[in-house]
Amino acid sequence: MAKGKVFLIGAGPGDPGLITLKGRDWLNKADVVVYDALVNSHLLEEAKPGAVKIFVGKRGGQHAKEQREINDLLVKQAQRGRLVARLKGGDPLLFGRGGEEAAYLHEHHIAFEIIPGVTSASGAAAYAGIPLTDRRLSSMITMVTGHEGDGKNLSPVEWSRISRKSTLVIFMGLDQLPTITERLLHHLWDAELPAAVIRWGSTAHQEIVEGTLGDIAEKAREAEMTSPVLIIIGDVVRLRKKIRWFDTKPLFGKKIVITRTLEQAPEFARLLEEAGAEVLSFPTIQILPPKSWEAADQAIHDITQYDWLLFTSVNGVRAFFNRLKILGSDIRELKGIRIGAIGPKTSARLTDFGLKVDAFPDEYRAEALADVIGQVKDCRVLLARAAEARDVLPDTLQERGATVTIAPVYRTIKTRRIAGDVKKRLLAQEIDVVTFTSSSTVDGFMQHFSSREKRRIFEKAKAAAIGPITAGTLKEHGVRPAIRAPSYTIEALARSIVKYFV
């Protein structure tokens, strides 16, 4: 069997967007992903379906695997002919033991590549608003480790030889911070020199304690800071007051739950994360094909007989045209048929297919679509929608003289498997906002909690609804929506959440 290859990839300091394009590319291709505790879990979603994911980090003070075991694991996986992505926090060669792993691979004749990453020093400092160098304050950086491990309490750093004019960056030094500051003061460093301790830099969990060399150890203790942290000492820390940007975002520190399907969550999550929020996915519904395609197939077969083709969701558009393709047809079959859509996303998706939308209401509701269509007496209307949905639109059109055919092209079911960690955080009242983008997401969410648990969750968390129908469903469950979007889009809902907290 041909030998595989190992890619030592720097995952960056925490923000999953800071991995390099090359690192993400090989992560997408890897058969096996071996990752540390400091790797953002969202990066694991980049692995291809079926990839084996092996955790080898340190949690609760305990190593999942010792370094020698990790080395052997990489060799054995590569010897089986697999592509291995070894994901390491920050940069693999900066206090990451990547050099040891690369040397071990070389000794065992395993091909490897090293893909650098954004270091935790540069990444965490940037997200804290601290430039490591500044021509007015410091033109030198000294990076040291606070401990060496293997029973050693303090790293063998010659503190007396570090220039007092440099920016000092200390990795893994929280436990030894009192001793480190004492040694620096002993070597005549200024006690008033600015200092900062950064925890979970570049992530929505980011915490920063500021002080001086003389008091930073005590302030970190009072703030109950825990590892992992990065410590920065130097005049450049003063600039944070002017150039901090990340922790001033409107939703920074807010924890927001998205209840959309896994496929639809990323777009909404991106909007909230750009505003600084920590986003947790709690998919309460799943989109599946209808139990039977008979009605939809018959409608597609008779498509030329219809005057109107209506869509009430992006899911309906996607499913309808996928089925059209499967049946060997294409959009030419729709010549002469007028098309109506609810919502800008649905309309935009139709436009992507090169279709003109003839009816598009300003208000994104079924009732509004019926009104904007106008005269439908003696018209034949095809409604491509979910198997179970409100009947307001077909009922209204039929009352006005139309013949309406409902073609179920997808169905929505409640998700049985849920994110246990998110549920625990909801019940622990750690969540600030729970978002709902349809009545089905409300029903799907509520099924997982007792009445008492729901009351507890929404004592702290604010419910955010995309429109009046969704808001009404929340009220049926005894939850008053605190946030409502003025228009029924995820962009408007994201803006409404920001406005609520600003």
Side-chain angles (χ1 to χ4, degrees):
M1 179 183 294
K3 290 185 179 179
K5 190 171 185 178
V6 177
F7 293 85
L8 301 169
I9 303 172
D15 182 339
L18 294 182
I19 191 171
T20 64
L21 292 175
K22 186 174 184 179
R24 188 185 299 272
D25 184 45
W26 282 109
L27 176 57
N28 295 156
K29 299 174 183 177
D31 303 304
V32 180
V33 181
V34 180
Y35 64 101
D36 290 336
L38 297 184
V39 171
N40 192 303
S41 59
H42 288 302
L43 281 177
L44 301 179
E45 298 170 7
E46 296 288 336
K48 69 181 182 181
V52 177
K53 300 168 187 175
I54 304 173
F55 174 69
V56 296
K58 181 179 180 181
R59 285 181 183 156
Q62 299 295 318
H63 289 278
K65 290 186 180 294
E66 298 296 332
Q67 187 60 51
R68 57 178 177 77
E69 295 177 297
I70 297 172
N71 294 345
D72 288 336
L73 173 66
L74 297 177
V75 169
K76 289 177 181 178
Q77 292 294 335
Q79 287 176 337
R80 292 172 183 167
R82 295 172 175 171
L83 288 179
V84 182
R86 172 67 173 111
L87 272 183
K88 303 177 74 68
D91 181 274
L93 298 187
L94 186 62
F95 301 122
R97 305 188 75 168
E100 297 175 42
E101 293 175 8
Y104 193 84
L105 293 168
H106 170 76
E107 291 167 5
H108 288 77
H109 310 290
I110 300 297
F112 66 88
E113 288 189 25
I114 300 173
I115 301 176
V118 175
T119 72
S120 53
S122 57
Y127 275 60
I130 301 173
L132 294 180
T133 63
D134 183 281
R135 64 184 181 85
R136 299 161 296 179
L137 301 174
S138 176
S139 298
M140 187 186 312
I141 306 170
T142 303
M143 298 184 186
V144 301
T145 177
H147 74 87
E148 285 291 308
D150 298 328
K152 300 177 183 177
N153 292 323
L154 194 65
S155 64
V157 175
E158 295 187 53
W159 302 100
S160 63
R161 299 177 67 88
I162 298 176
S163 171
R164 295 191 294 273
K165 295 182 180 181
S166 72
T167 299
L168 178 59
V169 181
I170 305 170
F171 293 71
M172 301 170 285
L174 183 62
D175 292 342
Q176 295 300 319
L177 187 54
T179 302
I180 291 171
T181 54
E182 284 180 14
R183 295 203 178 187
L184 292 172
L185 291 169
H186 175 74
H187 292 296
L188 304 181
W189 282 57
D190 184 356
E192 297 303 313
L193 199 61
V197 176
I198 306 167
R199 182 174 186 265
W200 290 115
S202 82
T203 74
H205 307 287
Q206 179 173 289
E207 299 175 39
I208 299 177
V209 172
E210 296 181 68
T212 65
L213 177 61
D215 64 17
I216 191 64
E218 179 61 19
K219 286 189 172 182
R221 186 191 66 78
E222 291 174 352
E224 299 181 344
M225 294 289 272
T226 57
S227 297
V229 304
L230 188 80
I231 302 161
I232 303 176
I233 301 172
D235 283 319
V236 291
V237 176
R238 301 184 199 278
L239 297 177
R240 171 170 155 76
K241 294 179 181 179
K242 294 183 178 180
I243 66 173
R244 59 186 293 193
W245 60 275
F246 181 58
D247 55 7
T248 59
K249 290 188 172 188
L251 295 181
F252 181 80
K254 302 301 180 186
K255 301 171 181 62
I256 300 178
V257 168
I258 291 180
T259 56
R260 303 186 97 194
T261 66
L262 282 174
E263 296 79 13
Q264 294 176 308
E267 183 182 4
F268 191 22
R270 177 183 57 78
L271 294 172
L272 296 171
E273 287 170 345
E274 286 177 353
E278 176 189 355
V279 178
L280 300 94
S281 182
F282 190 90
T284 59
I285 59 173
Q286 186 178 359
I287 305 299
L288 297 176
K291 291 182 178 179
S292 171
W293 282 104
E294 183 178 354
D297 289 352
Q298 185 62 50
I300 291 173
H301 180 268
D302 299 333
I303 195 70
T304 57
Q305 299 180 23
Y306 292 97
D307 302 293
W308 281 95
L309 173 58
L310 306 182
F311 296 96
T312 57
S313 70
V314 173
N315 290 322
V317 174
R318 183 185 302 112
F320 178 85
F321 286 98
N322 282 344
R323 193 62 183 177
L324 195 70
K325 183 178 179 181
I326 289 171
L327 295 178
S329 300
D330 57 35
I331 62 172
R332 289 174 294 183
E333 304 289 341
L334 306 182
K335 182 179 179 181
I337 301 175
R338 286 175 288 181
I339 296 175
I342 296 177
K345 294 292 185 182
T346 306
S347 181
R349 191 71 183 96
L350 288 163
T351 302
D352 289 342
F353 284 105
L355 297 168
K356 176 186 176 183
V357 178
D358 300 285
F360 174 65
D362 293 330
E363 191 177 2
Y364 315 139
R365 294 192 301 150
E367 298 88 326
L369 180 57
D371 290 338
V372 79
I373 289 174
Q375 181 59 250
V376 292
K377 185 176 176 58
D378 298 327
C379 288
R380 296 195 63 185
V381 179
L382 175 59
L383 176 56
R385 68 170 203 184
E388 295 182 5
R390 297 168 66 233
D391 289 325
V392 174
L393 180 57
D395 288 351
T396 302
L397 293 173
Q398 286 175 337
E399 289 172 2
R400 296 178 183 178
T403 300
V404 180
T405 299
I406 296 175
V409 291
Y410 71 96
R411 60 191 170 101
T412 300
I413 65 169
K414 297 174 183 176
T415 304
R416 294 182 180 179
R417 295 181 61 187
I418 61 171
D421 180 60
V422 180
K423 184 174 183 178
K424 290 178 183 177
R425 296 183 70 176
L426 281 160
L427 294 174
Q429 296 186 313
E430 297 179 8
I431 303 303
D432 297 289
V433 181
V434 183
T435 64
F436 299 96
T437 53
S438 67
S439 290
S440 57
T441 62
V442 177
D443 293 333
F445 179 88
M446 298 302 177
Q447 70 168 332
H448 295 295
F449 303 96
S450 67
S451 297
R452 183 179 179 181
E453 288 174 332
K454 283 184 277 189
R455 286 194 298 271
R456 177 173 177 78
I457 290 168
F458 291 103
E459 280 177 4
K460 164 73 186 300
K462 307 301 179 184
I466 202 167
I469 305 302
T470 305
T473 307
L474 277 166
K475 291 176 183 176
E476 291 173 5
H477 285 277
V479 177
R480 177 182 171 275
I483 303 169
R484 280 178 53 174
S487 58
Y488 318 143
T489 66
I490 59 170
E491 291 83 0
L493 185 56
R495 288 193 297 268
S496 296
I497 295 171
V498 169
K499 184 177 180 181
Y500 182 86
F501 287 105
V502 171

